[in-house]
Structure formats: structure tokens, C-alpha cells
Amino acid sequence: MSELFVPVLLTIITASTPLVFAAAGEVVVEKSGVLNLGVEGMMIVGAVIAFAVGVKTESAALAIISGAAGGMLTAFIFGFLTLRLLANQVATGLALTIFGLGLSALIGHGFVGKTFSGLPKIGVPFLEQIPVLGPLLFVHDILVYLSVIAVFLITYVFNKTRLGLIIRAVGENHHAAHSIGYSIVWVRMGCILFGGSMAGLGGAYLSLAYTPLWVEGMTAGRGWIALALVVFASWRAWRAFFGAYLFGGITIIQLHAQGFGVDIASQFLSMLPYLATIVVLVLISNNSSRMMLNAPADLGKSFHASD
Amino acid sequence: MRLELRGQVSERMVYCSPVFAVIMTFLTGMLIFSFLGVNPTQAIITFFVEPVSSIDGVAELCVKATPLVLIAIGLSFCFRANIWNIGAEGQLTIGALAGGGLGLLFFNSSSQFLMPGMLIFGILGGMVWAGIPAFLKIKFGTNEILTSLMLTYIALLILSYLIHGPWKDPEGQNFPESRLFPEAGLLPIILDETRLHLGWIITLICVPVAWILMTYHLIGFQIRVMGMAPMASNFAGFRGKNIIWISFLISGGLAGLAGTIEVSGPIGQIIPVISPGYGFTAIIVAFLGRLHPIGCLLSGLLMALTYLGGDNAQIELNLPNAVTGVFQGMLLFFLLASDVLVRYRIQIIGYKNKHRNVE
Amino acid sequence: MIFKRLILGVFLITGMLFNAADGSAAEKKAKVGFVYVGPIGDHGWSYQHNAGRLAIARTFSDKVKTTYVESVPYGADATRVITKLARSGHDLIFTTSFGYMNPTLKIAKRFPKVKFEHATGYKRSKNLATYSGRFYEGRHVVGLIAGKMTKSNILGYVASFPIPEVIRGINSTIIAARSVNPKIKIKVVWVSTWFDPGKEADAAKALIAQGADVILQHTDSPAPLQQAQKNKVWAVGQASDMVNFGPKAQLTAIIDDWNAYYINRTKAMLDGTWSSQDTWGGFKSGMVKMAPYNKAIPSDVVAMAEKAKDGIIAGTVHPFTGPIKDQSGKIVIPAGKMADDGMLLGMNFYVEGVDGTIPK
């Protein structure tokens, strides 16, 4: 059984990791009261820059860092427009996606058909020896570990630290936070840049590890799914993590079901993740008081001190 | 530099800021084009002038703008009420399936009622699909951003299922396309030798109707109150639930109408890809148009022009499609950024001045 | 207002300048236009068509100007773009995806002087020709090799959409594979997309986990091949030679080679001999080619593959030669008979040996 079990679960981990990065980053952004719908755009810029740097320098570390930086730079455009110039967040985010898809195609023009060796797998000493669990949990590339660490850190910061408190305050009621003396713009800018770098890492994972290649439009809508996961997770990083794995899991399992000859129209199988998300969401939101506590009250609203 | 809130919206800036944005885009665009080794003036002309330098070009502009404007008008109602329906793409698809399905059912009909029937079915289809997030929001408090987005994916898969299965053209050698609609199920062309169809007239009628509804009718008033102060709407004695229903149904209905117009106008059958993302692009159009029907009309036309310009740049200048995306994104950034001038005044102030302000 | 007027003025003046410049520099070059469904950077379908365009540009550099529009969605946009090409003085226009069929037909009627060519469709008119590749011939050769190379007797097939083109490929592969090894089964996973590297890779992984040791694909990205390389199983490239994505794994690749066809048709247009026709080219016309075989394939298998290929070219081998049974065991092509093109074009059943059913 474990012969099939382990590879299936490993596939789920690979399929979920880019979503974890992007969704966890967006959780932080939205917690600070900003709705950035440009995740797809930031992801794909991260993907192309990581791949380009990877091919040019053959250094995985540099590639990963530049992927994060690429996402961050794209996010900066969004931050500048929405925070400094108070542009509408929903529209700016969508424009960012159009822009990012175009920009990535321009940058990636010379990299179609090139290959990258992929990221090396790193085993955790001793733990990797455990049967079944060892190869499943403790032999991965650096980005998979990083995605888990990031989720832990984000959860920790929001629950235990002053910084988390500040971000939440800014997202809940920016006027109150402003009157206590926090700089709304800078806190939000920090969160947007962080979210951008996470989306960039998600993209980098796609082009460096998941499928180490560059082709135009290779994110194929994963940024949108990450956005959905954030709401699905009711703005909690660890729930976004599980949401990503649930989503990745359903996708992979339906591919396996087909391999076993399950007779069902592939379109209906493909629908399952989305239907599941809606159902789970309805179940969660039925408990409306909890939902209300987690949703940042000032989400999507521009802030200006004199408003 | 400092932004200062204007006492009221600047009338002058409402009109000047888009012009300002377009000029900025031209300038940066020219920089990029010369960087890419293309004559910048020629590039700008290719992008913005040539596409509409003929009757046919203008007709194409209107054809492309039709779905964008219709959907954006509907979304304006939602967004004004602070209801985030971002699933117009799905509502468009289901509308197209409902309306187009009727056309396929009566594929050898020549009744003059077929066309109106299709349009009504399209509206109803869009309304049904938009009704789901409305229902879930009211009944369970489920976030409509997520449900409407998820329903978009599901709608696209339903389309994919139908077109690869039961709705496939029986004489089509198994290719994923439906039959062609009968003549009676096609929107009439209103300008000979072009593709300009009745859908554009429908759009032009929708603009003033929506304007009146939004500005002078009680519904529009309630929607605006709900958007600005949800609590106040309760005091004012009308229920938020109704507003959620109304704004979702208006936007879903218009998106569904847009979908039917697409399939029965320029397409003429049901195909695996009905809309290249009109439902999402229309969100941008709605905001560029400041959630006002006339604004939506203008911004829809501008948006359509960037697509036509993109085709043209590829054909005439051999610029890759990617450049269109970058250019379009930039134009949107500038337009969105220039909005700031409408509500805020930019003040350049010296250090001393600033210092005094803080104290 | 002043701004607007200023801009308008600038436009008018520059516009006049350019028109003047255009008029003086008018030289008579024929124009050939292409419409692609994907980006030219997809490394698959559109990439290969664009390679064909570049071949025209190289061959007729002094006589022909080529243009293209990429990522053109089906529907309203396709009609607009094709019309635009027809209007802007193109003499020959290639629309390179199935979904452009009805728009191309409509526009061909409106522009009787312009010549159109539509790939993979079946509707023709006086100035609209059709063309496509007999990729199933390549799949026959691939099936033979896969049949010899598999140890697990399970082939994995990453498929896009259940249209005849794809089903024909699956059938052709399994018929050939079972002719050398009757124990073989083929597992098919439909990903419902032509292009999503991640999902294609996941499907390949699922197939590998279920025991497939040769991965075949009818989707556009090199991702399945990469997965095969990673998991040390075999795979076959699609559309172009993808060997640098999986140098160990790629047994061979079925290459769509449009260059010769495009050059011929352009030449016919220039010579005035162009006429509407239907071309379904395979190995013989060079539209379908095999990439160099992997060194690891034993020489007798290569010889067998080459023999089959030569047989197809000579007309002595047909990939769909009876007796062929469908999944229920019913004979669909009787012994000694071959499937005709009509049957091939509309194929919507699986033959014996395919696991699962065609999604409805």
C-alpha cells in the first residue's frame, strides 16, 4: 500500500506548496486590510525571474532570492498605487495581473526551451530514516521546508507578537490604529511587500522545482486559487496551509482516480475542488461570529488620514 | 508631497485626470517602445489611432466593448453597495449557455420570437448563477468574493462538459463545437459590411436606464446608502438582504445578457471559450468608469481600444502580445493612480510648513 | 479640452507624415499572416507553427513579409483578428487552430481574393484550404517502441480533451504496442487542458505511481517528459524535439514539421498556382517526423520502428489495419480492411487494451 501511498502524498505536497506560499502571503496582506487580487501576476513574475537567474547563474539560492525579489518589486507597484495614490485595490490588483503576465512573457522570451537542474532534495538527518514517514516528510527541497516554516512564523507573529497585533489593528480599524500613532501606510506596505515575496516564492517553486522550465502563462490560474484559499481559510495562515493541501489533494486524487479507470466525466472531477471549497466555506461561515472575528474589518478600504 | 482631501469631488479633475493618465501612458509607452527599437510615435498611432481610423474599426471597437460595458454597468450596482461580485465571468458563461441552449433546442426554427427568447433566457441564466452567491451570503453569511469566483470555475467546466458531450454538433466530426444557431437566433447586423450588431444598441439603451435607476430611483439610493453606511440602511427602514438580492440579480442578469449577445452575435454558436475573461476585465472597466454607467461606457470603449491596438501592434509592428499586456497594465495603473486627483489635492510643501503641521 | 485638442493635432500631423512615408516606400512584397491560439513561447503547438513562419521568412526573405498574432482566443476575437489581417493586405492567411474554423470560413467568403488555410478543420471553400498532420502515424511508431521498452506492460497517456484527434492517437499507440506485446494496457488521464505544466506533471506522476513506465502525452508542455526523467521512466516528446528536457527519458518525439508545407503553399501563392485543397500529411510529406531515437533503445527495436515508418511512407503499413476490436470486443475494422479517413476523422471509441472509458 505504501508503495502507492507515498508517491501520491509526495505529489500532493508538490502540488500544494506553490499555493501555500501565495495564500499564506496573501493572508498577511489581507490581515493588514489590503486586498491584492494581483497574486497571479506577482507569482508569474517571480517564476520567470527565478528561472532566468537560475539558468544564468546556475545557483539555486540566487534563483530563489531573485524570485522573491521579483514578486516583491511587482507588489511594490501595487503598494505605491493603492497606499500612496489611493487607487482602488480591486481594480489595481486585476491590472497588476494583466501587467505581470505581459511582463513575464517579455522577460521570459529568451528562456523558452532552456532547462534548469531543479532544486536538490535535502534530507533531515536521522528523521529521514523512519520508514514511510521519513521519505514522506523529511526529504524535500528547501522551498517545501520554507513554506512550512513561513506558515509557522506567520501564525506565531499574529498570535504572539506585538507586530502581529499592530498588523491586525491596522486591518481592523485603520483610523484607530492611526490615532495611536502607527503609520498605516508603512505597516501595509510592509505586508504587501511580504505578500509579494511569498507569491514570488510560490512562482519560483513552480519554475524551479515543480516543473523546472519556463513557458508563458505557466502559473495557469494558481494565483486565483490562492486568493480563494485565503477566504476559505478565514484569514488564518495555518488554515490556508491545510486548505492548500486539501485543494492539492483533491486535484491529485482525481487524476489518480482516472488512472484507475473511474468512469466519470473529467469536467465533473475537475469541479470537485471548487465545489468542496464552497461547501466547506458554507460550513465554516455558518458559525458567523467566528468568521466576523477573523475578517479584517477594513479590508479593501483605502486609508487617508483626513478621511 | 502631500495629499489633502478635497471638500468635494473636483468636477474639473473628473474629466482631466483620465486625459492626464493617457498622456502619462503615451510618454512612458514611447519610452518603452523606443527601448524595444520601435519608432515611438508610430507605435502610439498604431495602438490608438489606426484601429479606429475606419468605419469597420469603429464597429469592431463597439463589438468588443459591448460585453465589457454591459457587465461593468451591472457590477457598478454591486460595488456601490459594497458587494463584491467578482464572478461575472461565470454568470456570463451560464447566461450564454441558457440563451444559446434555447437557440440549439430550436435549431431549425425561424420564429421571430427565438432571438428575444434567447436574450431573456440569457438574462435569467446569469441571474440564477448570481443568485447562488447572493443566497449563500444571505442565508449563511458566506463571503461572496470566494463563492462567486468558485462558481466561475464551475460554470466554465459545465460549458466544457456540455460542449465536449451532449451539445456537440452531431455533424461536427466530434469536435467540441455546437451547431450553428439558426438565422432567427442571430442578432441582426445594424451596419452593413461590419460586425456591428443589435447588442450594441441594447448596450446603449442600458446605459441611460442604469443611470436613471442608479441616480433617481429608490433602489439606487438604497444601494448607495448600503455601500456607504450599512448600519444606516437598517435605520432607514430597508433591509440589506433585499439590496444584496437586487444588486446581484442586476449584475448577474447583465452579465448573462452579455454572454448571450456574444454567442448569438459575433460567435454564432457555442464554443469551448466564449469569453476571453470579459467578466474580470469588466471589473477594471467598472472602476475606471467610477461605477457610473456613462463612465463604464467610456472606459469600456477605451479598454476595447487597447485590445484592438494590441492586435494592430502585432500585425503592423511585429510586437509580441506580451507588450500589449505590459502596455495595458501601465495604462490602467496610470488611470487608477490619476483618480487620486479627483478626491485629493496634491500639495508640495516645504519642510518648515510640514513641521508646523505636525505640531 | 485644450489638452485633447493638442493631442488630436499632434496625431493628425504625425499621421499625415506617416501616411506620406508609407506611400513613398511602397514596395510590392506579398504578405503572409498567421494566427496562433497560444503564445509562441509555449514550446508546443504554436511554437512549431511559428517555426514554419520563420522558415517562410528565411526562404522568401526578399519577396514575402510575414506577420503573426499570438494568443488569439476563439470566438469574437478570432473573427476580428483574421478580418484585420485580410483587410491589411495579406495575400495568404494561416489560421492554426481548430476553433478558428467557422470564423475563417465566414471571412473567406467576405474576402474572395485573399487565400486562407485552416489547420485541423474540415470546412473548405474556393479560397479556403485545410491542412493537418497524420500524427497517428508517429504514434504508431511510438507504440511499437513503447511496446518493446515497457517492463511493467503499462503505458501512461496524458490526454487533453476527448476529441477524435486525441482518441485516434491513443488508439494508434495501443494497437501498435499490442502488436508487439499483447499484454500491454494503456492508462489514460484527462487533464482537461492543452497547457498547464503543473497539472500535466501531476498527471504524469499519477500514471508513474500506478505503474506506467512509458509516458506519452497529447498536451503541449514538456512537463510530463521532465517527470519521466526524474522518475527514471521513458517518455515521448510532443510537437517538438524536447530532448533537452529529458535527455535520458525521451525515447523519441513526434515532431510537427510545418516548414515544408508552409514554404510550398507560399510558393504556390507567389506562382499563382495556389488552389483550395485538403492536405493531411504524414511521414511521406514530412509533416510528421520522428526525433532522433534514444541511444538506449536496442538496435533491433530501432530497426523495427524505422521499418514501420518506411512501410507507412510506402503505403504497405497502415496503423489502423483490421482486425481491430473496440473495448467491448466488437470488431470495428474487419481483418484485412483499413480504416478510411472518414472513420479516422470522426473516431470516438477506444480500441481494446485501453483502460477506462472516454469521458462523455
Side-chain angles (χ1 to χ4, degrees):
Chain A
M1 191 57 205
S2 77
E3 262 170 36
L4 189 58
F5 189 60
V6 171
V8 172
L9 290 180
L10 282 177
T11 318
I12 293 176
I13 292 176
T14 340
S16 313
T17 300
L19 298 176
V20 172
F21 274 118
E26 181 71 11
V27 164
V28 176
V29 179
E30 293 191 14
K31 267 288 183 195
S32 77
V34 177
L35 181 63
N36 183 354
L37 293 182
V39 181
E40 181 87 359
M42 302 187 293
M43 262 182 115
I44 196 142
V45 172
V48 74
I49 290 182
F51 187 75
V53 172
V55 168
K56 287 276 180 217
T57 65
E58 308 228 326
S59 153
L62 269 181
I64 292 172
I65 294 168
S66 357
M72 204 187 262
L73 277 177
T74 324
F76 177 77
I77 301 176
F78 175 86
F80 181 75
L81 286 171
T82 54
L83 299 178
R84 241 4 252 169
L85 300 179
L86 309 172
N88 177 281
Q89 294 175 4
V90 173
T92 310
L94 289 165
L96 192 70
T97 294
I98 296 178
F99 179 77
L101 287 170
L103 183 68
S104 66
L106 265 191
I107 298 173
H109 192 67
F111 292 92
V112 175
K114 296 264 169 49
T115 54
F116 180 70
S117 50
L119 298 179
K121 299 259 184 235
I122 304 166
V124 180
F126 307 114
L127 292 176
E128 63 175 317
Q129 311 290 346
I130 310 171
V132 185
L133 281 184
L136 189 60
L137 297 178
F138 302 111
V139 189
H140 289 292
D141 54 61
I142 180 86
L143 282 177
V144 174
Y145 297 124
L146 201 59
S147 71
V148 180
I149 294 170
V151 170
F152 267 109
L153 270 181
I154 292 168
T155 313
Y156 175 79
V157 165
F158 276 121
N159 289 343
K160 301 279 181 204
T161 67
R162 201 178 142 74
L163 177 64
L165 211 63
I166 295 171
I167 296 175
R168 272 162 51 194
V170 168
E172 283 305 324
N173 186 336
H174 44 218
H175 292 297
H178 176 73
S179 56
I180 310 171
Y182 295 121
S183 164
I184 308 299
V185 170
W186 286 111
V187 170
R188 286 189 170 162
M189 185 58 111
C191 292
I192 289 173
L193 293 181
F194 177 78
S197 65
M198 289 285 278
L201 284 174
Y205 185 76
L206 277 174
S207 67
L208 297 177
Y210 197 165
T211 53
L213 53 87
W214 165 252
V215 278
E216 277 181 37
M218 70 183 295
T219 42
R222 285 180 178 75
W224 294 103
I225 293 167
L227 276 170
L229 285 171
V230 174
V231 193
F232 169 74
S234 52
W235 295 274
R236 296 220 168 144
W238 63 272
R239 281 200 201 146
F241 178 84
F242 286 112
Y245 273 77
L246 185 68
F247 195 93
I250 295 174
T251 314
I252 298 303
I253 284 166
Q254 65 106 339
L255 292 175
H256 273 272
Q258 285 192 52
F260 282 119
V262 174
D263 179 18
I264 175 168
S266 62
Q267 286 90 358
F268 288 118
L269 282 169
S270 305
M271 259 180 227
L272 280 180
Y274 307 113
L275 280 175
T277 310
I278 293 180
V279 170
V280 174
L281 190 81
V282 168
L283 292 178
I284 294 179
S285 50
N286 222 349
N287 193 343
S288 55
S289 56
R290 252 189 31 221
M291 186 79 176
M292 297 294 265
L293 280 179
N294 284 324
D298 277 350
L299 183 61
K301 292 181 195 159
S302 295
F303 171 77
H304 186 263
S306 56
D307 264 354
Chain B
M1 191 184 100
R2 227 176 80 94
L3 297 179
E4 199 165 89
L5 191 67
R6 290 183 194 275
Q8 65 193 82
V9 167
S10 159
E11 280 291 326
R12 200 163 46 131
M13 277 302 169
V14 167
Y15 301 106
C16 282
S17 72
V19 177
F20 175 71
V22 170
I23 293 173
M24 284 302 284
T25 320
F26 281 2
L27 292 179
T28 23
M30 284 168 135
L31 255 169
I32 293 181
F33 287 127
S34 40
F35 185 71
L36 290 167
V38 180
N39 179 332
T41 349
Q42 195 190 354
I44 297 289
I45 291 171
T46 313
F47 242 98
F48 291 103
V49 183
E50 269 181 9
V52 285
S53 59
S54 67
I55 302 276
D56 190 64
V58 176
E60 285 296 331
L61 184 75
C62 300
V63 170
K64 182 78 181 173
T66 297
L68 292 174
V69 175
L70 276 177
I71 301 170
I73 290 174
L75 291 178
S76 300
F77 283 91
C78 277
F79 295 163
R80 278 189 181 235
N82 256 340
I83 293 164
W84 297 100
N85 173 12
I86 60 171
E89 183 80 0
Q91 291 140 26
L92 175 152
T93 304
I94 296 297
L97 288 176
L102 192 71
L104 292 178
L105 192 63
F106 297 102
F107 66 92
N108 47 15
S109 151
S110 56
S111 160
Q112 53 180 335
F113 296 111
L114 182 59
M115 189 65 247
M118 284 167 73
L119 292 179
I120 290 166
F121 263 65
I123 294 172
L124 291 177
M127 281 181 167
V128 167
W129 213 243
I132 300 173
F135 172 78
L136 292 177
K137 185 178 173 68
I138 290 162
K139 184 87 181 154
F140 303 108
T142 314
N143 184 299
E144 73 277 13
I145 297 183
L146 178 65
T147 48
S148 59
L149 183 63
M150 291 288 117
L151 283 165
T152 296
Y153 291 117
I154 294 174
L156 293 174
L157 287 162
I158 291 176
L159 165 66
S160 169
Y161 165 74
L162 288 173
I163 208 66
H164 285 97
W167 287 13
K168 210 159 37 181
D169 181 359
E171 276 107 55
Q173 300 202 359
N174 238 2
F175 277 104
E177 290 192 347
S178 79
R179 284 175 204 276
L180 296 173
F181 296 137
E183 199 62 31
L186 294 177
L187 283 171
I189 298 287
I190 54 171
L191 192 62
D192 280 346
E193 293 296 302
T194 70
R195 294 200 296 155
L196 193 64
H197 51 72
L198 193 65
W200 176 242
I201 302 292
I202 297 175
T203 309
L204 289 183
I205 294 170
C206 282
V207 171
V209 171
W211 185 11
I212 292 166
L213 200 62
M214 198 178 267
T215 320
Y216 300 108
H217 195 273
L218 184 63
I219 288 174
F221 170 71
Q222 291 179 341
I223 283 176
R224 277 178 287 140
V225 172
M226 167 115 166
M228 283 185 274
M231 290 307 205
S233 59
N234 287 335
F235 291 122
F238 52 87
R239 304 229 310 272
K241 280 182 189 175
N242 290 341
I243 300 301
I244 296 176
W245 273 118
I246 288 169
S247 45
F248 257 111
L249 291 182
I250 291 178
S251 68
L254 284 173
L257 178 64
T260 310
I261 287 178
E262 273 304 281
V263 292
S264 64
I267 302 180
Q269 67 188 126
I270 292 180
I271 54 174
V273 186
I274 293 171
S275 146
Y278 289 136
F280 294 110
T281 316
I283 298 176
I284 306 180
V285 171
F287 278 106
L288 289 184
R290 304 218 163 78
L291 306 184
H292 188 289
I294 292 181
C296 290
L297 177 68
L298 295 176
S299 60
L301 286 167
L302 178 65
M303 198 76 189
L305 182 59
T306 64
Y307 285 105
L308 265 59
D311 298 346
N312 220 26
Q314 284 190 76
I315 296 171
E316 301 296 332
L317 305 174
N318 267 333
L319 284 174
N321 192 32
V323 177
T324 311
V326 172
F327 198 63
Q328 215 175 26
M330 239 171 43
L331 173 65
L332 297 174
F333 288 153
F334 281 123
L335 279 170
L336 292 165
S338 69
D339 255 16
V340 76
L341 299 174
V342 178
R343 280 167 295 140
Y344 300 90
R345 193 176 286 130
I346 292 185
Q347 289 205 324
I348 315 283
I349 43 174
Y351 171 74
K352 243 183 184 170
N353 212 345
K354 191 173 175 185
H355 198 66
R356 203 180 308 133
N357 270 0
V358 172
E359 280 182 352
Chain C
M1 254 357 260
I2 296 168
F3 272 137
K4 270 185 189 165
R5 246 179 239 165
L6 255 176
I7 296 169
L8 207 70
V10 170
F11 271 145
L12 286 176
I13 293 165
T14 38
M16 278 188 276
L17 283 177
F18 274 102
N19 281 339
D22 276 356
S24 62
E27 46 175 314
K28 261 292 174 199
K29 261 191 175 186
K31 279 166 101 179
V32 180
F34 284 82
V35 184
Y36 304 135
V37 69
I40 55 172
D42 69 354
H43 211 273
W45 182 255
S46 297
Y47 183 79
Q48 285 302 108
H49 283 286
N50 194 50
R53 177 183 71 88
L54 295 173
I56 296 179
R58 276 194 307 273
T59 315
F60 304 103
S61 56
D62 49 341
K63 285 187 211 140
V64 175
K65 182 182 184 299
T66 63
T67 53
Y68 71 92
V69 187
E70 60 180 331
S71 302
V72 178
Y74 292 166
D77 289 312
T79 312
R80 185 186 69 241
V81 169
I82 303 167
T83 313
K84 176 87 203 170
L85 286 172
R87 265 183 200 283
S88 55
H90 285 76
D91 304 278
L92 179 59
I93 296 168
F94 293 95
T95 57
T96 63
S97 182
F98 175 75
Y100 302 147
M101 180 169 70
N102 287 317
T104 312
L105 186 71
K106 245 189 284 177
I107 296 160
K109 227 172 261 169
R110 270 182 65 193
F111 295 89
K113 287 199 183 126
V114 182
K115 297 163 180 69
F116 294 86
E117 301 231 6
H118 174 237
T120 71
Y122 55 86
K123 290 186 182 169
R124 278 172 291 282
S125 69
K126 205 160 174 278
N127 59 332
L128 168 59
T130 52
Y131 63 102
S132 183
R134 292 181 188 268
F135 302 112
Y136 67 90
E137 295 182 352
R139 304 226 177 247
H140 178 79
V141 174
V142 164
L144 295 173
I145 300 173
K148 286 287 187 186
M149 299 304 284
T150 176
K151 298 238 159 44
S152 63
N153 289 340
I154 300 174
L155 311 183
Y157 209 108
V158 181
S160 49
F161 293 103
I163 57 171
E165 164 79 28
V166 178
I167 292 167
R168 195 161 61 231
I170 295 169
N171 286 343
S172 179
T173 311
I174 187 70
I175 292 168
R178 281 165 77 98
S179 73
V180 295
N181 179 351
K183 281 189 233 127
I184 285 184
K185 287 212 153 197
I186 200 162
K187 280 178 186 279
V188 183
V189 169
W190 299 94
V191 289
S192 300
T193 170
W194 286 105
F195 181 78
D196 176 346
K199 204 167 179 195
E200 293 169 48
D202 291 338
K205 280 189 234 174
L207 289 162
I208 294 167
Q210 292 186 19
D213 61 354
V214 182
I215 297 299
L216 309 152
Q217 65 177 97
H218 205 142
T219 50
D220 272 350
S221 88
L225 178 63
Q226 265 185 334
Q227 283 311 318
Q229 170 91 4
K230 214 169 170 184
N231 290 285
K232 301 190 172 62
V233 299
W234 303 112
V236 173
Q238 164 85 6
S240 62
D241 191 347
M242 295 176 168
V243 68
N244 55 348
F245 289 101
K248 290 217 173 96
Q250 180 174 292
L251 290 167
T252 178
I254 303 169
I255 299 176
D256 315 354
D257 188 342
W258 309 102
N259 300 17
Y261 180 76
Y262 284 156
I263 288 171
N264 279 338
R265 298 300 280 167
T266 307
K267 189 163 180 302
M269 180 266 293
L270 291 170
D271 297 346
T273 55
W274 190 97
S275 65
S276 170
Q277 61 183 53
D278 177 35
T279 307
W280 203 13
F283 282 135
K284 197 173 173 185
S285 61
M287 206 179 260
V288 181
K289 284 197 174 122
M290 303 307 295
Y293 298 105
N294 193 318
K295 293 272 186 314
I297 307 176
S299 56
D300 59 319
V301 177
V302 171
M304 182 186 68
E306 280 296 289
K307 203 179 142 213
K309 191 178 132 190
D310 294 340
I312 291 174
I313 292 173
T316 52
V317 174
H318 191 287
F320 289 89
T321 306
I324 290 172
K325 292 181 192 160
D326 68 6
Q327 278 179 312
S328 65
K330 196 181 94 194
I331 293 202
V332 280
I333 303 171
K337 286 262 167 40
M338 288 170 221
D340 59 8
D341 282 359
M343 180 179 194
L344 291 176
L345 285 172
M347 191 166 273
N348 64 346
F349 59 87
Y350 277 155
V351 299
E352 210 177 11
V354 184
D355 243 16
T357 50
I358 298 175
K360 288 279 150 36

